[in-house]
PDB file of all heavy atoms in Angstrom:
ATOM      1  N   MET A   1     206.574 -88.391 168.383  1.00 83.00           N
ATOM      2  CA  MET A   1     207.187 -87.411 169.253  1.00 83.00           C
ATOM      3  C   MET A   1     206.108 -86.769 170.127  1.00 83.00           C
ATOM      4  O   MET A   1     205.065 -86.368 169.641  1.00 83.00           O
ATOM      5  CB  MET A   1     207.894 -86.368 168.393  1.00 83.00           C
ATOM      6  CG  MET A   1     208.617 -85.345 169.153  1.00 83.00           C
ATOM      7  SD  MET A   1     210.348 -85.783 169.207  1.00 83.00           S
ATOM      8  CE  MET A   1     210.993 -84.365 169.971  1.00 83.00           C
ATOM      9  N   ALA A   2     206.373 -86.652 171.386  1.00 93.00           N
ATOM     10  CA  ALA A   2     205.412 -86.090 172.327  1.00 93.00           C
ATOM     11  C   ALA A   2     205.569 -84.574 172.425  1.00 93.00           C
ATOM     12  O   ALA A   2     206.666 -84.031 172.291  1.00 93.00           O
ATOM     13  CB  ALA A   2     205.602 -86.712 173.698  1.00 93.00           C
ATOM     14  N   VAL A   3     204.451 -83.914 172.673  1.00 97.00           N
ATOM     15  CA  VAL A   3     204.426 -82.480 172.938  1.00 97.00           C
ATOM     16  C   VAL A   3     203.968 -82.324 174.384  1.00 97.00           C
ATOM     17  O   VAL A   3     202.962 -82.900 174.786  1.00 97.00           O
ATOM     18  CB  VAL A   3     203.449 -81.759 171.976  1.00 97.00           C
ATOM     19  CG1 VAL A   3     203.330 -80.288 172.341  1.00 97.00           C
ATOM     20  CG2 VAL A   3     203.885 -81.936 170.530  1.00 97.00           C
ATOM     21  N   ILE A   4     204.689 -81.559 175.162  1.00 97.00           N
ATOM     22  CA  ILE A   4     204.340 -81.319 176.553  1.00 97.00           C
ATOM     23  C   ILE A   4     203.662 -79.953 176.645  1.00 97.00           C
ATOM     24  O   ILE A   4     204.215 -78.946 176.201  1.00 97.00           O
ATOM     25  CB  ILE A   4     205.580 -81.364 177.475  1.00 97.00           C
ATOM     26  CG1 ILE A   4     206.348 -82.676 177.292  1.00 97.00           C
ATOM     27  CG2 ILE A   4     205.175 -81.143 178.922  1.00 97.00           C
ATOM     28  CD1 ILE A   4     205.559 -83.929 177.605  1.00 97.00           C
ATOM     29  N   VAL A   5     202.451 -79.938 177.218  1.00 97.00           N
ATOM     30  CA  VAL A   5     201.683 -78.703 177.360  1.00 97.00           C
ATOM     31  C   VAL A   5     201.750 -78.245 178.816  1.00 97.00           C
ATOM     32  O   VAL A   5     201.480 -79.029 179.727  1.00 97.00           O
ATOM     33  CB  VAL A   5     200.206 -78.917 176.967  1.00 97.00           C
ATOM     34  CG1 VAL A   5     199.440 -77.600 177.050  1.00 97.00           C
ATOM     35  CG2 VAL A   5     200.087 -79.532 175.582  1.00 97.00           C
ATOM     36  N   THR A   6     202.142 -76.986 179.009  1.00 96.00           N
ATOM     37  CA  THR A   6     202.138 -76.362 180.336  1.00 96.00           C
ATOM     38  C   THR A   6     201.413 -75.021 180.202  1.00 96.00           C
ATOM     39  O   THR A   6     200.948 -74.660 179.110  1.00 96.00           O
ATOM     40  CB  THR A   6     203.570 -76.116 180.856  1.00 96.00           C
ATOM     41  OG1 THR A   6     204.210 -75.153 180.019  1.00 96.00           O
ATOM     42  CG2 THR A   6     204.383 -77.399 180.899  1.00 96.00           C
ATOM     43  N   ASP A   7     201.355 -74.284 181.278  1.00 94.00           N
ATOM     44  CA  ASP A   7     200.716 -72.965 181.240  1.00 94.00           C
ATOM     45  C   ASP A   7     201.446 -72.008 180.298  1.00 94.00           C
ATOM     46  O   ASP A   7     200.885 -70.991 179.892  1.00 94.00           O
ATOM     47  CB  ASP A   7     200.666 -72.346 182.634  1.00 94.00           C
ATOM     48  CG  ASP A   7     199.715 -73.082 183.570  1.00 94.00           C
ATOM     49  OD1 ASP A   7     198.939 -73.947 183.100  1.00 94.00           O
ATOM     50  OD2 ASP A   7     199.748 -72.790 184.783  1.00 94.00           O
ATOM     51  N   GLN A   8     202.680 -72.320 179.933  1.00 95.00           N
ATOM     52  CA  GLN A   8     203.446 -71.482 179.010  1.00 95.00           C
ATOM     53  C   GLN A   8     203.264 -71.907 177.552  1.00 95.00           C
ATOM     54  O   GLN A   8     203.781 -71.264 176.657  1.00 95.00           O
ATOM     55  CB  GLN A   8     204.938 -71.519 179.362  1.00 95.00           C
ATOM     56  CG  GLN A   8     205.284 -70.763 180.625  1.00 95.00           C
ATOM     57  CD  GLN A   8     204.797 -71.468 181.886  1.00 95.00           C
ATOM     58  OE1 GLN A   8     204.969 -72.667 182.048  1.00 95.00           O
ATOM     59  NE2 GLN A   8     204.170 -70.716 182.767  1.00 95.00           N
ATOM     60  N   GLY A   9     202.562 -73.003 177.291  1.00 95.00           N
ATOM     61  CA  GLY A   9     202.325 -73.465 175.929  1.00 95.00           C
ATOM     62  C   GLY A   9     203.000 -74.798 175.653  1.00 95.00           C
ATOM     63  O   GLY A   9     203.246 -75.581 176.560  1.00 95.00           O
ATOM     64  N   PHE A  10     203.297 -75.031 174.382  1.00 97.00           N
ATOM     65  CA  PHE A  10     203.912 -76.275 173.950  1.00 97.00           C
ATOM     66  C   PHE A  10     205.407 -76.262 174.247  1.00 97.00           C
ATOM     67  O   PHE A  10     206.073 -75.244 174.097  1.00 97.00           O
ATOM     68  CB  PHE A  10     203.722 -76.484 172.454  1.00 97.00           C
ATOM     69  CG  PHE A  10     202.324 -76.851 172.032  1.00 97.00           C
ATOM     70  CD1 PHE A  10     202.035 -77.033 170.693  1.00 97.00           C
ATOM     71  CD2 PHE A  10     201.305 -77.013 172.944  1.00 97.00           C
ATOM     72  CE1 PHE A  10     200.754 -77.379 170.278  1.00 97.00           C
ATOM     73  CE2 PHE A  10     200.025 -77.351 172.550  1.00 97.00           C
ATOM     74  CZ  PHE A  10     199.746 -77.534 171.212  1.00 97.00           C
ATOM     75  N   GLY A  11     205.916 -77.409 174.623  1.00 95.00           N
ATOM     76  CA  GLY A  11     207.345 -77.543 174.866  1.00 95.00           C
ATOM     77  C   GLY A  11     207.786 -78.966 174.592  1.00 95.00           C
ATOM     78  O   GLY A  11     206.968 -79.872 174.401  1.00 95.00           O
ATOM     79  N   PRO A  12     209.087 -79.177 174.596  1.00 93.00           N
ATOM     80  CA  PRO A  12     209.620 -80.512 174.355  1.00 93.00           C
ATOM     81  C   PRO A  12     209.583 -81.356 175.635  1.00 93.00           C
ATOM     82  O   PRO A  12     209.400 -80.841 176.735  1.00 93.00           O
ATOM     83  CB  PRO A  12     211.061 -80.233 173.938  1.00 93.00           C
ATOM     84  CG  PRO A  12     211.411 -78.991 174.717  1.00 93.00           C
ATOM     85  CD  PRO A  12     210.138 -78.178 174.753  1.00 93.00           C
ATOM     86  N   GLU A  13     209.799 -82.620 175.471  1.00 93.00           N
ATOM     87  CA  GLU A  13     209.949 -83.534 176.607  1.00 93.00           C
ATOM     88  C   GLU A  13     211.210 -83.145 177.366  1.00 93.00           C
ATOM     89  O   GLU A  13     212.266 -82.961 176.777  1.00 93.00           O
ATOM     90  CB  GLU A  13     210.054 -84.975 176.097  1.00 93.00           C
ATOM     91  CG  GLU A  13     210.370 -85.997 177.159  1.00 93.00           C
ATOM     92  CD  GLU A  13     209.295 -86.119 178.215  1.00 93.00           C
ATOM     93  OE1 GLU A  13     208.250 -86.700 177.927  1.00 93.00           O
ATOM     94  OE2 GLU A  13     209.518 -85.606 179.331  1.00 93.00           O
ATOM     95  N   THR A  14     211.098 -82.996 178.675  1.00 91.00           N
ATOM     96  CA  THR A  14     212.258 -82.635 179.486  1.00 91.00           C
ATOM     97  C   THR A  14     212.715 -83.782 180.384  1.00 91.00           C
ATOM     98  O   THR A  14     213.766 -83.686 181.001  1.00 91.00           O
ATOM     99  CB  THR A  14     211.955 -81.405 180.370  1.00 91.00           C
ATOM    100  OG1 THR A  14     210.832 -81.700 181.188  1.00 91.00           O
ATOM    101  CG2 THR A  14     211.680 -80.179 179.519  1.00 91.00           C
ATOM    102  N   PHE A  15     211.940 -84.847 180.453  1.00 93.00           N
ATOM    103  CA  PHE A  15     212.316 -86.005 181.252  1.00 93.00           C
ATOM    104  C   PHE A  15     213.071 -86.978 180.368  1.00 93.00           C
ATOM    105  O   PHE A  15     212.589 -87.389 179.320  1.00 93.00           O
ATOM    106  CB  PHE A  15     211.063 -86.671 181.841  1.00 93.00           C
ATOM    107  CG  PHE A  15     211.348 -87.905 182.631  1.00 93.00           C
ATOM    108  CD1 PHE A  15     211.992 -87.829 183.859  1.00 93.00           C
ATOM    109  CD2 PHE A  15     210.985 -89.151 182.153  1.00 93.00           C
ATOM    110  CE1 PHE A  15     212.266 -88.972 184.594  1.00 93.00           C
ATOM    111  CE2 PHE A  15     211.247 -90.297 182.885  1.00 93.00           C
ATOM    112  CZ  PHE A  15     211.883 -90.202 184.109  1.00 93.00           C
ATOM    113  N   ASP A  16     214.264 -87.354 180.791  1.00 91.00           N
ATOM    114  CA  ASP A  16     215.075 -88.256 179.961  1.00 91.00           C
ATOM    115  C   ASP A  16     215.213 -89.646 180.565  1.00 91.00           C
ATOM    116  O   ASP A  16     216.029 -90.445 180.125  1.00 91.00           O
ATOM    117  CB  ASP A  16     216.445 -87.653 179.681  1.00 91.00           C
ATOM    118  CG  ASP A  16     217.271 -87.431 180.935  1.00 91.00           C
ATOM    119  OD1 ASP A  16     216.760 -87.670 182.048  1.00 91.00           O
ATOM    120  OD2 ASP A  16     218.431 -87.010 180.808  1.00 91.00           O
ATOM    121  N   GLY A  17     214.400 -89.960 181.559  1.00 91.00           N
ATOM    122  CA  GLY A  17     214.448 -91.270 182.190  1.00 91.00           C
ATOM    123  C   GLY A  17     213.456 -92.233 181.570  1.00 91.00           C
ATOM    124  O   GLY A  17     212.916 -92.008 180.493  1.00 91.00           O
ATOM    125  N   VAL A  18     213.213 -93.308 182.292  1.00 90.00           N
ATOM    126  CA  VAL A  18     212.319 -94.369 181.839  1.00 90.00           C
ATOM    127  C   VAL A  18     211.125 -94.435 182.782  1.00 90.00           C
ATOM    128  O   VAL A  18     211.274 -94.370 184.001  1.00 90.00           O
ATOM    129  CB  VAL A  18     213.059 -95.731 181.836  1.00 90.00           C
ATOM    130  CG1 VAL A  18     212.123 -96.866 181.454  1.00 90.00           C
ATOM    131  CG2 VAL A  18     214.255 -95.673 180.903  1.00 90.00           C
ATOM    132  N   PHE A  19     209.936 -94.573 182.212  1.00 93.00           N
ATOM    133  CA  PHE A  19     208.734 -94.754 183.012  1.00 93.00           C
ATOM    134  C   PHE A  19     208.581 -96.233 183.345  1.00 93.00           C
ATOM    135  O   PHE A  19     208.754 -97.091 182.490  1.00 93.00           O
ATOM    136  CB  PHE A  19     207.493 -94.264 182.254  1.00 93.00           C
ATOM    137  CG  PHE A  19     207.389 -92.775 182.195  1.00 93.00           C
ATOM    138  CD1 PHE A  19     207.950 -92.055 181.154  1.00 93.00           C
ATOM    139  CD2 PHE A  19     206.728 -92.078 183.195  1.00 93.00           C
ATOM    140  CE1 PHE A  19     207.851 -90.682 181.096  1.00 93.00           C
ATOM    141  CE2 PHE A  19     206.630 -90.696 183.158  1.00 93.00           C
ATOM    142  CZ  PHE A  19     207.193 -89.996 182.105  1.00 93.00           C
ATOM    143  N   THR A  20     208.241 -96.518 184.595  1.00 91.00           N
ATOM    144  CA  THR A  20     208.038 -97.878 185.062  1.00 91.00           C
ATOM    145  C   THR A  20     206.551 -98.096 185.304  1.00 91.00           C
ATOM    146  O   THR A  20     205.885 -97.224 185.856  1.00 91.00           O
ATOM    147  CB  THR A  20     208.800 -98.104 186.389  1.00 91.00           C
ATOM    148  OG1 THR A  20     210.176 -97.788 186.187  1.00 91.00           O
ATOM    149  CG2 THR A  20     208.667 -99.527 186.872  1.00 91.00           C
TER     150      THR A  20
END
Side-chain angles (χ1 to χ4, degrees):
M1 183 99 174
V3 175
I4 306 300
V5 183
T6 65
D7 291 349
Q8 288 72 46
F10 287 179
E13 173 64 75
T14 58
F15 178 70
D16 62 356
V18 176
F19 285 90
T20 304

